[in-house]
Amino acid sequence: MEVIHERCAGVDISKVDVKVCIRVPSTGRRRRSEVRTFSAVTSGLLAMRDWLLAEGITVVGMEATGVYWKPVFYLLEHDMECWLLNARHMKSVPGRKTDVKDSEWIARLVEHGLVRPSFVPPEPIRQLRDVTRYRTEIVRERTREAQRLEKLLEDTGIKLSSTVSDILGVSGRAMLEALIAGERDPHALAHLAKGSMRRKTDALVEALTGNFSTHHAFLARAMLDRIDACTATEAKLSKHIEVMLQPFCRRIELLVTIPGVDTRAAQVILAEIGADIARFPSAGDLASWAGVCPGNHQSGGRTGSGKTRHGDPWLKAALGQAAVSASRTRDTYLAARYRRIVARRGKKRALVALEHSILIAVWHMFTHDTDYADLGGHYFIERTGRARQTRRLVSQLNQLGYQVTLQAEGAA
């Protein structure tokens, strides 16, 4: 088999140590293979780097093992080419599974060019990813805490969430604070409503009648404090993200021109795909990497399930929210595409199709540095031709037993 990389290495990483196998030229046509074990602490990784540099290694392949690959990758990426490899792409031979065998197998795969490296963004984008992902987790934790608070109120017989759209809004929060402070009169609590909520006073009196004890007050106070802490942390992270995004302002300006993509979704999209769109040769490569296109599995002449890949869950979550928002816009291409697909394929497939369309648009916008150009809500009608669409609709009405006479709009 042809040797693609003359001096390469394979690294099998665990929490406590790393097994490193190098493949380098030797006398004649033979190639030398050597395996060494290094500690996973910084001193051991530095010794590993010095050995690899002394051997003239140019390419290092390593399996994406949890988070343990990160210190190894970050230490070596400035001195040699590092490949982060998908574990599903390099299954070892069954029955011969050891860490040393794994490192040798990785080295051989890299040596002959039988694997492709995964996308690892540069350091500024990696840091942006860390902050945006942590902010997403904080928001999710706040949502979970709000759900716990709602269940606590249900335990007391108080049905506040059935009457108030947001129990943490101005009116809901005032009622909760009064309950915690010791107020139990439902009429007094109902009169704390603000604005349009005052029209629901009678319903609020019924909803706020329950058995709220000091035990519930203690738990509710703890939950509200946790929610407030999450809100403060989210605000701090958002401010830091704005500072980190200053070099990428143009990219954010482009992203927010897409219907359904707000500033927060744009920040997550940029953090996940990076600012250098040239890392993806085509729009199809970007969609495939993100996992928003149909799967491709064919064997024996039969095509298997077209289920999408897992892809990047953080990116898919942001795209999903943007797709839902875009489907509700008026007179836009994305909304028309959603209505066109949802009737045939259902809501979930229609939303995935919108995610795909958004990501394809992002690739072209970043490549050509141009704003989003909406094709309009009548794109699909104009594409097939007005006369063709008219004939199709008239034919359907005729089949239902109607006699149709058409008159142009504005005609006498």
Side-chain angles (χ1 to χ4, degrees), residues 21-39:
C21 174
I22 61 171
R23 298 279 297 174
V24 295
S26 185
T27 57
R29 299 182 60 181
R30 297 176 62 86
R31 293 181 59 77
R32 179 169 66 89
S33 178
E34 182 179 352
V35 179
R36 292 188 184 182
T37 301
F38 299 90
S39 173

Side-chain angles (χ1 to χ4, degrees), residues 387-397:
R388 181 179 175 183
Q389 284 281 10
T390 302
R391 288 195 303 269
R392 182 179 65 83
L393 295 174
V394 169
S395 175
Q396 289 180 355
L397 289 172

